[in-house]
């Protein structure tokens, strides 16, 4: 298929083939499934690691788990900024200034961890 409209015709054929495959898969599913599937006892109850569920289906998650996740993401992303610095550290002209910049950066990270530790966010109780 050549020309400007040829690429659109090819796109149309690919989309039509995708729709045809979708319809064929769902049609085969409808034709091959059992007419009246068996429903064994307990099929629709909740499953909790092989133990019968106890209580309701709503559970409150404690905020500290979100704080741990947030702190991990925060410090992992900030640690990624250390890699480009390590790559250019040995180049001429980046010596003292880059050490001072990274010293400030790591000090801010250390202050963040110290703040979280002093607020007892990092204690697992």
């Amino acid at each position: 298929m050549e020309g400007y409209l040829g690429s659109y015709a090819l796109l149309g054929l690919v989309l039509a083939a995708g729709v045809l495959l979708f319809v064929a898969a769902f049609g085969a599913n409808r034709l091959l499934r059992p007419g009246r599937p068996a429903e064994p006892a307990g099929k629709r109850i909740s499953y909790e690691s092989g133990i019968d569920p106890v209580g309701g289906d709503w559970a409150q998650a404690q905020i500290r788990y979100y704080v741990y996740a947030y702190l991990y993401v925060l410090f992992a992303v900030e640690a990624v900024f250390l890699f480009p610095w390590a790559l250019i550290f040995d180049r001429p002209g980046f010596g003292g200034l880059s050490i001072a910049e990274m010293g400030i950066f790591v000090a801010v990270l250390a202050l963040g961890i110290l703040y979280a530790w002093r607020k007892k966010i990092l204690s697992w109780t």
Side-chain angles (χ1 to χ4, degrees):
M1 295 184 185
E2 301 287 328
Y4 179 73
L5 295 177
S7 59
Y8 287 109
L10 182 62
L11 177 66
L13 286 174
V14 169
L15 288 175
V19 169
L20 183 65
L21 182 65
F22 179 78
V23 169
F26 274 90
N29 182 24
R30 183 165 292 259
L31 290 175
L32 297 175
R33 73 177 184 186
R36 291 182 164 222
E39 183 141 347
K43 180 178 178 180
R44 298 193 184 269
I45 65 168
S46 299
Y47 181 77
E48 295 179 3
S49 303
I51 302 171
D52 289 334
V54 177
D57 59 350
W58 186 84
Q60 183 176 3
Q62 296 197 12
I63 190 67
R64 68 175 168 216
Y65 300 122
Y66 295 110
V67 171
Y68 285 121
Y70 179 71
L71 286 174
Y72 171 75
V73 169
L74 180 71
F75 289 113
V77 167
E78 288 180 351
V80 168
F81 290 125
L82 293 173
F83 292 111
W85 171 76
L87 289 175
I88 66 164
F89 176 68
D90 63 344
R91 293 185 184 166
F94 288 102
L97 183 62
S98 64
I99 287 177
E101 288 175 352
M102 272 304 124
I104 293 169
F105 180 72
V106 171
V108 169
L109 288 177
L111 282 174
I113 291 176
L114 181 66
Y115 175 78
W117 181 55
R118 295 283 299 217
K119 290 287 187 177
K120 300 196 188 309
I121 294 174
L122 297 177
S123 64
W124 188 276
T125 56

